[in-house]
Amino acid sequence: MTASIYDISKTFKPFAYPGKLITVVGFDGSGKTTQLDLLERTLQQEGHTVHNWKQPTDWYRGLGGVKVFHNEGGSATQAKVLSLLAAADRQKHVEEEILPALRQGHVVLVDRYVYATFGVFVHRGVDLDFLININAGIPKPDLAFYLRLTPQQLASRLKARDGDNLQFEERDLSRVASIISTYEKMPQELISIDGSRSVNDVAAEVNSHINKSCSGFRRNLADFAQSGAQKPI
């Protein structure tokens, strides 16, 4: 599929559980982990039960072929095989951990989620429709944030953080640009935030969107706190 805007809506299945699913995506060095950790602490202080998870999980990351692929590059065929493994890893994570947490009314935070699959594997030559089909049926996030930085800004951050110990995609600005261009082609799915601003400014914008879109569960919690009761969501 070739388009200026990617429609990935068929990937998701709406869910009617009391919990909230919030994801943050962006290229490495964009500040995803920092923002998710801040959000986790904020929500826990409000009394929520929060799970802060990463996708892919450690099972996928530990596969030998995955490490070689990300460190040295690989063919489109190798990318397609790994996309299947990543999808299986995601479906297992959804069924065994994410959905049970949402059913219990917990807040689930996910670093990357399925959006990184589109970013990396479309860049590596895997068909978008194929990726949609193998990931179909996962829950749609209540909110999904994209931390936006230029390739040059990302390269500077990665150099400061990792020195010369960079993965294959990180060593070339054109590869970085190719991956982030996929995120920018999903404006109907991702809330784009300027990730070059201060940590506190980015966190404030994230919280502002959560207050607008998920104000009910925060307000309900405040009501319970004032009455001396405890409620996770």
Side-chain angles (χ1 to χ4, degrees):
M1 175 187 290
T2 302
S4 57
I5 299 296
Y6 290 160
D7 180 5
I8 63 166
S9 57
K10 292 181 180 178
T11 309
F12 303 112
K13 180 173 67 175
F15 65 92
Y17 303 132
K20 298 295 179 185
L21 175 60
I22 300 171
T23 72
V24 180
V25 69
F27 202 86
D28 279 0
S30 61
K32 302 184 304 299
T33 301
T34 298
Q35 291 302 322
L36 285 166
D37 288 348
L38 285 172
L39 183 57
E40 178 185 19
R41 288 198 293 272
T42 298
L43 292 170
Q44 285 176 336
Q45 288 169 1
E46 293 177 3
H48 298 282
T49 299
V50 184
H51 304 275
N52 189 356
W53 287 321
K54 290 184 178 182
Q55 286 191 357
T57 70
D58 289 341
W59 173 80
Y60 175 86
R61 294 169 188 272
L63 297 174
V66 171
K67 294 180 180 179
V68 172
F69 181 81
H70 286 293
N71 288 332
E72 302 176 13
S75 68
T77 299
Q78 289 172 312
K80 189 172 185 178
V81 170
L82 290 181
S83 74
L84 287 164
L85 292 171
D89 177 56
R90 180 169 298 104
Q91 297 283 6
K92 184 174 186 292
H93 189 212
V94 165
E95 289 298 324
E96 295 182 358
E97 298 191 77
I98 293 178
L99 289 180
L102 293 173
R103 291 187 188 106
Q104 293 178 61
H106 299 172
V107 180
V108 176
L109 308 178
V110 182
D111 187 330
R112 294 184 178 87
Y113 201 47
V114 73
Y115 304 105
T117 274
F118 294 117
V120 171
F121 290 120
V122 168
H123 159 69
R124 289 295 190 97
V126 182
D127 180 69
L128 179 67
D129 288 327
F130 175 80
L131 294 171
I132 291 171
N133 288 334
I134 63 175
N135 287 282
I138 62 175
K140 182 177 177 62
D142 293 279
L143 288 167
F145 297 100
Y146 162 52
L147 302 186
R148 184 184 73 256
L149 291 95
T150 68
Q152 292 79 10
Q153 290 168 331
L154 290 164
S156 176
R157 288 190 179 189
L158 290 168
K159 180 70 173 178
R161 187 187 73 183
D162 300 330
D164 294 327
N165 187 29
L166 301 176
Q167 293 188 335
F168 179 77
E169 314 291 6
E170 300 168 351
R171 298 178 206 137
D172 188 289
L173 287 180
S174 66
R175 293 196 284 266
V176 176
S178 175
I179 290 173
I180 65 177
S181 71
T182 295
Y183 301 141
E184 291 165 1
K185 292 176 181 177
M186 296 188 286
Q188 73 279 28
E189 298 290 342
L190 298 172
I191 298 169
S192 180
I193 292 179
D194 181 358
S196 69
R197 295 177 300 161
S198 72
V199 169
N200 288 339
D201 285 347
V202 173
E205 185 170 351
V206 167
N207 270 283
S208 175
H209 283 287
I210 294 174
N211 286 338
K212 292 176 183 176
S213 298
C214 305
S215 60
F217 84 87
R218 280 185 148 172
R219 190 182 310 115
N220 291 341
L221 184 69
D223 292 342
F224 269 77
Q226 289 175 3
S227 66
Q230 297 293 323
K231 187 179 180 182
I233 241 179

